[in-house]
């Protein structure tokens, strides 16, 4: 079995340590009560909160906009039996591990933003972050291209999508102001010029790799695309339905993993939450608006551990426009999936024809409320943020594809949605 992610909870407050309590108990027995840990007074707590608010305001002034990363939601790791050989059996060198860790994100306002919202709501709305274009391979800033934050050119015509991503970008997309609406959910987002739907998942040219025939590579590439589309674009799945098509693509020889996925969908838990693999929302709480914007790339590389095996890596970011059910308030959810699939020479290794052997699936989710085990992504809207408490944490840009997927188990701050 693969090493299970640590389940040790993060401290929610500065509780007295075990050493402090042990000292207190010893002193109590000796009749020395003054060492008892004391609860901070209401005034002390108020001062602490004010200081924290000042820190948040200073961070916001320096360009750190308040958004919280959620806690990672690992699906119970299961190490597959590995590729079984065909008629001439031999053991492979090692077995593929599968890590399905994700970040989820909840938006929060800084203390400074809360103050501004009370005095000048329109000014606060203008602070809502977004971006268009980007650095590196995604460079397409509005000033250079003449395209505004909503993806329109100077004449009001929708601009053409960005060229497909062919390599990892060298930086995050650039910034631009804009407020999403039901009619234009990607206004102010880099996704305004991303392609939409499954057509954005392009396959590289299939060729023989490390002894794996080109036909087998092509079959695995097509299956990888089908899985990503079934898991992240299927309208029924997005509305909370069972990912029947995606599950049907997993090789039944991966029995433990397949059982984990099915159990996650039917009985979500903190350790086995289906949103680590499938994008699902609650249709009673949110409406999906607009199409789904997609950007990424798929590559094929030889498996250096064994002849006759190759690894397909699909790294894609999906951006969803979501509105409050029955309302106009609109926001976005950003989901990044990095899927690794094994492709093997069928004359050497056993596998089920037309099915995928999934080696690894890692995810990040932007704008989710950090709940674990409910099986759904729960985005936060602007009005939700007015009652949220400012919280500190590492700042990350969910649109930044220049770095790898984080596998940390903690909450943090995102720079925009």
């Amino acid at each position: 079995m693969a090493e299970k992610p640590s389940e040790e909870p993060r401290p929610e407050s500065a509780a007295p340590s075990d050493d402090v309590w042990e000292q207190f108990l010893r002193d109590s027995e000796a009749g020395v009560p003054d060492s008892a840990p004391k609860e901070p007074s209401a005034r002390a707590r108020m001062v602490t909160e004010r200081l924290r608010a000042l820190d948040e305001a200073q961070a916001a002034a320096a360009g750190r906009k308040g958004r919280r990363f959620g806690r990672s939601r690992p699906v119970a790791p299961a190490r597959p039996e590995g590729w079984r050989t065909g008629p001439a059996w031999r053991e492979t060198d090692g077995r593929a591990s599968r890590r399905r860790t994700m970040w989820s994100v909840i938006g929060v306002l800084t203390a400074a933003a809360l103050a501004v919202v009370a005095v000048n709501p329109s000014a606060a709305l203008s602070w809502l972050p977004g971006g268009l274009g980007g650095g590196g391979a995604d460079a397409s800033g509005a000033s250079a291209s003449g395209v505004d934050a909503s993806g329109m050119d100077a004449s009001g015509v929708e601009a053409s999508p960005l060229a497909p991503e062919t390599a990892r970008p060298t930086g995050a997309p650039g910034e631009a102001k804009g407020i999403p609406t039901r009619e234009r959910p990607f206004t102010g987002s880099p996704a305004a010029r991303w392609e939409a739907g499954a057509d954005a998942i392009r396959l590289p040219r299939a060729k023989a790799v490390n002894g794996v025939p080109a036909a087998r590579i092509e079959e695995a590439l097509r299956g990888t695309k089908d899985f990503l589309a079934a898991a992240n674009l299927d309208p029924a799945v997005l509305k909370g339905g069972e990912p029947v098509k995606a599950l049907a693509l997993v090789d039944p020889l991966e029995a433990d993993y397949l059982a984990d996925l099915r159990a996650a969908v039917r009985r979500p838990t903190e350790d086995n939450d289906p949103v680590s693999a499938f994008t699902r929302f609650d249709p009673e709480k949110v409406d999906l608006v607009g199409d789904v914007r997609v950007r990424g790339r798929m590559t094929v590389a030889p498996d250096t551990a064994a002849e006759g095996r190759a690894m397909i890596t699909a790294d894609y970011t999906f951006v969803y426009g979501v509105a409050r059910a029955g309302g106009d308030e609109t926001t976005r959810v950003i989901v990044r999936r990095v899927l690794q699939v094994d492709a093997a020479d069928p004359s050497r290794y056993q596998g089920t024809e037309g099915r995928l052997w999934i080696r690894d699936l890692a995810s990040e989710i932007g704008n989710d409320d950090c709940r674990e085990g409910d099986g759904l992504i729960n985005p936060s809207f602007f009005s939700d943020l007015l009652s949220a408490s400012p919280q500190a944490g590492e700042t990350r840009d969910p649109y930044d594809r220049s770095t790898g997927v984080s596998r940390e188990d903690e909450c943090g701050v995102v720079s925009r949605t």
Side-chain angles (χ1 to χ4, degrees):
M1 294 292 291
E3 182 179 352
K4 186 173 182 179
S6 173
E7 297 180 355
E8 181 180 353
R10 292 189 300 114
E12 297 297 334
S13 62
S17 67
D18 291 341
D19 291 341
V20 172
W21 279 110
E22 289 176 2
Q23 180 63 43
F24 165 59
L25 293 174
R26 288 195 298 268
D27 290 347
S28 296
E29 292 176 357
V32 187
D34 292 339
S35 64
K38 295 180 175 60
E39 177 73 15
S41 67
R43 180 176 179 81
R45 289 196 300 271
M46 181 179 66
V47 172
T48 300
E49 288 299 319
R50 286 182 177 177
L51 290 174
R52 187 174 70 170
L54 287 174
D55 289 341
E56 291 286 340
Q58 291 171 356
R64 178 179 177 180
K65 304 176 182 67
R67 297 282 173 180
R68 284 198 61 207
F69 278 106
R71 195 167 300 164
S72 68
R73 302 178 181 179
V75 174
R79 182 171 296 218
E81 292 298 322
W83 288 101
R84 297 177 176 85
T85 59
W89 184 92
R90 70 177 176 85
E91 185 66 26
T92 59
D93 295 330
R95 295 177 295 180
S97 65
R98 204 164 35 250
R99 297 179 300 269
R100 295 175 296 281
T101 306
M102 57 168 278
W103 292 86
S104 54
V105 184
I106 179 172
V108 298
L109 291 175
T110 63
L114 284 171
V116 171
V117 126
V119 177
N120 190 344
S122 61
L125 286 173
S126 70
W127 287 8
L128 284 177
L132 181 63
D138 277 344
S140 59
S143 60
S145 64
V147 178
D148 69 13
S150 64
M152 302 291 177
D153 61 21
S155 62
V157 178
E158 186 171 353
S160 59
L162 295 175
E165 183 178 287
T166 57
R168 174 173 286 188
T170 57
E175 295 285 341
K177 294 180 180 179
I179 307 300
T181 64
R182 272 185 173 264
E183 294 73 25
R184 288 182 168 180
F186 302 107
T187 294
S189 163
R193 290 190 62 198
W194 290 9
E195 294 178 292
D199 289 343
I201 305 176
R202 288 184 168 81
L203 306 183
R205 185 173 66 88
K207 59 182 180 179
V209 176
N210 196 33
V212 184
R216 177 69 187 101
I217 295 292
E218 182 175 7
E219 179 187 19
L221 287 170
R222 293 187 182 279
T224 300
K225 175 177 178 175
D226 290 344
F227 182 87
L228 287 171
N232 302 283
L233 299 174
D234 186 325
V237 177
L238 296 180
K239 293 179 181 179
E242 183 173 353
V244 177
K245 296 177 182 177
L247 291 170
L249 289 167
V250 180
D251 196 320
L253 294 177
E254 287 196 281
D256 290 343
Y257 180 40
L258 194 53
D260 283 347
L261 291 177
R262 287 173 173 157
V265 172
R266 294 166 186 171
R267 296 177 300 278
T269 66
E270 290 186 8
D271 290 332
N272 196 17
D273 195 321
V275 296
S276 294
F278 310 115
T279 304
R280 307 166 80 227
F281 299 92
D282 186 345
E284 295 185 359
K285 294 181 179 179
V286 300
D287 297 330
L288 291 163
V289 293
D291 47 24
V292 181
R293 299 300 172 93
V294 184
R295 188 155 184 81
R297 64 193 181 280
M298 199 179 302
T299 58
V300 184
D303 187 333
T304 57
E307 182 70 20
R309 287 170 58 174
M311 184 172 68
I312 295 170
T313 300
D315 181 348
Y316 286 87
T317 300
F318 302 85
V319 183
Y320 305 86
V322 293
R324 195 184 294 279
D328 293 327
E329 198 172 6
T330 305
T331 186
R332 290 179 289 262
V333 171
I334 304 96
V335 178
R336 185 178 176 186
R337 309 281 192 195
V338 179
L339 173 66
Q340 292 182 333
V341 171
D342 272 326
D345 180 359
S347 68
R348 302 185 189 188
Y349 301 99
Q350 180 184 347
T352 305
E353 185 176 356
R355 305 296 181 91
L356 296 179
W357 191 283
I358 296 179
R359 176 183 296 194
D360 187 87
L361 176 53
S363 304
E364 289 180 348
I365 298 183
N367 193 14
D368 181 65
D369 69 357
C370 291
R371 266 182 283 180
E372 300 180 45
D374 63 354
L376 299 166
I377 296 172
N378 299 282
S380 294
F381 295 89
F382 186 82
S383 59
D384 297 326
L385 310 182
L386 300 179
S387 59
S389 300
Q391 299 202 26
E394 177 190 356
T395 301
R396 293 177 63 87
D397 184 346
Y399 290 98
D400 187 356
R401 295 181 43 79
S402 66
T403 61
V405 172
S406 173
R407 297 177 186 270
E408 296 298 322
D409 182 10
E410 61 178 324
C411 290
V413 179
V414 295
S415 59
R416 53 180 167 176
T417 61

